Amino acid sequence: MRTRTETRSHYEVQRDRRKAMADDWRAHRQTVIRSGDVEHRQAGPGVTAGQYIGAAAGRPTRLVDCTEYRLEPGAVSTARRESWDTIYLVVSGTGWTEIDGRRVSWRPWDAVHVPHWAAFRHGTDDPRGAVLLSCSSRPVFESLGAAWTLPADRPDPTEATGGRRGRLHTDYDEIELRPNPKGTRSKFLVDPSIGSRTSGLTMVMVQLGPGLFQAKHRHPGEALLYVVEGRGHSYFGEQPTGGREEPWEAGDLLVVDHFLWHQHFNDDAERPARLVRMHLMETMLTTMQALLDPLVLLEEPPEELAKAPDATIPDWPEDRRPD
């Protein structure tokens, strides 16, 4: 007796693979990751790493990841090269980052860009230690099968291209904090407009006035917003209304993905709140816009912008970063 073996078509194989990926993505999705839920592990002598979003945290992502590094006084991280690039926000403490032999010193709220394949390491002599928050394009390179790490003493694979260009360090005090139409004040820390040359990673400090909010909008993900200071809540929903609200406080990470309508509110009537927004949209969003034209991917309805507070009017406290 002959038995018949069922063979799935190429169409069915691809369909099921894509569905499984989407189901897994949705199962691990989180909108707010609390600082207390981040598990730190030893990453070298005097250095621990706690991942907010990424494979190591059990929260897979396709575009960008986010990790907090804590350096003990006198610690120096292991030097290495990576095929992806990374941007860092200095959360607290003072120290330095060495990039291809060039050392830049940093203080709280400064930003550092480590280009792909650059040999780098971080260090601090601060008696309080230091905390760095990273955002990298590693997940994209993993999707492409091109995520590699090399020892720092290995040759730079891109050395023949003429060296590195672009801003590597931004002193927070160098950039003006300006009001914008969304009702907030903001300043670029990593962006092409100030000379940064990344794979598309950008970083901007957003300040919400006491008791004020940012206009509602949406865009493709993933955008990460780290709460630097203050407390508030955010609206997230597939529709402009009827979504859910999530509270947040300093140290939390907001994850805005899959074209969600979102809006952020400062719940403190006396003090400003600060969020640092990080994403890879400088390349990914513009590429998607070209692929999907004429679809609109960045939606900022005029009626929502009209509701935004006038960020030039509030009596803003002095813009001072931590000592």
Side-chain angles (χ1 to χ4, degrees), residues 47-70:
V47 181
T48 62
Q51 193 167 60
Y52 278 86
I53 181 171
R59 293 180 277 269
T61 171
R62 303 292 289 187
L63 295 180
V64 290
D65 57 16
C66 183
T67 304
E68 181 185 77
Y69 293 92
R70 298 176 181 173

Side-chain angles (χ1 to χ4, degrees), residues 1-301:
M1 180 178 177
R2 298 178 63 185
T3 59
R4 181 178 176 181
T5 302
E6 283 209 19
T7 302
R8 292 190 301 159
S9 67
H10 291 165
Y11 163 80
E12 292 167 315
V13 170
Q14 289 182 326
R15 178 200 62 192
D16 294 345
R17 182 175 66 239
R18 291 166 181 160
K19 181 179 184 303
M21 186 278 289
D23 289 344
D24 181 67
W25 173 262
R26 296 186 183 102
H28 290 91
R29 179 180 291 141
Q30 280 187 250
T31 304
V32 180
I33 301 167
R34 311 295 176 188
S35 59
D37 294 334
V38 177
E39 181 181 354
H40 278 256
R41 299 183 176 91
Q42 204 69 31
V47 181
T48 62
Q51 193 167 60
Y52 278 86
I53 181 171
R59 293 180 277 269
T61 171
R62 303 292 289 187
L63 295 180
V64 290
D65 57 16
C66 183
T67 304
E68 181 185 77
Y69 293 92
R70 298 176 181 173
L71 283 69
E72 296 177 2
V76 177
S77 66
T78 303
R80 61 189 185 276
R81 299 183 189 272
E82 297 168 339
S83 61
W84 57 90
D85 66 335
T86 305
I87 55 178
Y88 293 87
L89 171 74
V90 182
V91 178
S92 64
T94 59
W96 52 266
T97 297
E98 195 173 83
I99 304 171
D100 282 340
R102 172 187 170 188
R103 183 170 292 198
V104 297
S105 298
W106 37 254
R107 296 184 292 155
W109 300 358
D110 282 0
V112 176
H113 171 226
V114 175
H116 68 286
W117 288 131
F120 74 99
R121 59 179 183 162
H122 311 292
T124 180
D125 293 319
D126 194 319
R128 302 161 297 182
V131 176
L132 301 175
L133 187 80
S134 78
C135 176
S136 89
S137 55
R138 177 174 181 170
V140 172
F141 283 74
E142 289 176 333
S143 297
L144 299 173
W148 299 295
T149 302
L150 296 177
D153 58 2
R154 291 283 297 275
D156 176 2
T158 66
E159 192 170 6
T161 62
R164 306 195 182 282
R165 301 179 182 86
R167 177 190 284 265
L168 299 180
H169 169 244
T170 301
D171 185 318
Y172 179 84
D173 291 334
E174 289 180 8
I175 310 298
E176 182 183 358
L177 190 63
R178 300 178 180 178
N180 66 63
K182 289 184 180 179
T184 61
R185 298 199 303 178
S186 58
K187 68 166 68 182
F188 289 123
L189 298 178
V190 179
D191 192 81
S193 66
I194 61 171
S196 307
R197 296 185 62 177
T198 73
S199 60
L201 293 166
T202 59
M203 179 187 294
V204 60
M205 177 80 79
V206 179
Q207 186 185 47
L208 285 76
L212 299 184
F213 58 90
Q214 183 187 56
K216 189 179 298 180
H217 60 287
R218 70 173 178 172
H219 48 70
E222 301 149 341
L224 308 181
L225 293 102
Y226 175 78
V227 184
V228 177
E229 64 177 9
R231 59 181 177 83
H233 72 277
S234 296
Y235 169 86
F236 299 97
E238 295 184 8
Q239 301 298 326
T241 60
R244 67 183 186 279
E245 294 185 351
E246 294 278 2
W248 43 258
E249 62 184 12
D252 291 344
L253 185 77
L254 315 181
V255 183
V256 181
D257 66 358
H258 75 295
F259 213 42
L260 283 179
W261 287 102
H262 56 284
Q263 186 173 21
H264 311 298
F265 298 82
N266 180 2
D267 292 339
D268 193 320
E270 298 180 356
R271 298 179 180 85
R274 292 179 190 268
L275 308 175
V276 163
R277 188 192 71 218
M278 303 164 287
H279 54 46
L280 192 62
M281 292 184 189
E282 199 60 36
T283 49
M284 299 302 290
L285 184 59
T286 52
T287 300
M288 291 172 63
Q289 184 64 77
L291 291 172
L292 300 175
D293 190 67
L295 292 179
V296 176
L297 299 185
L298 177 58
E299 291 193 55
E300 298 173 315

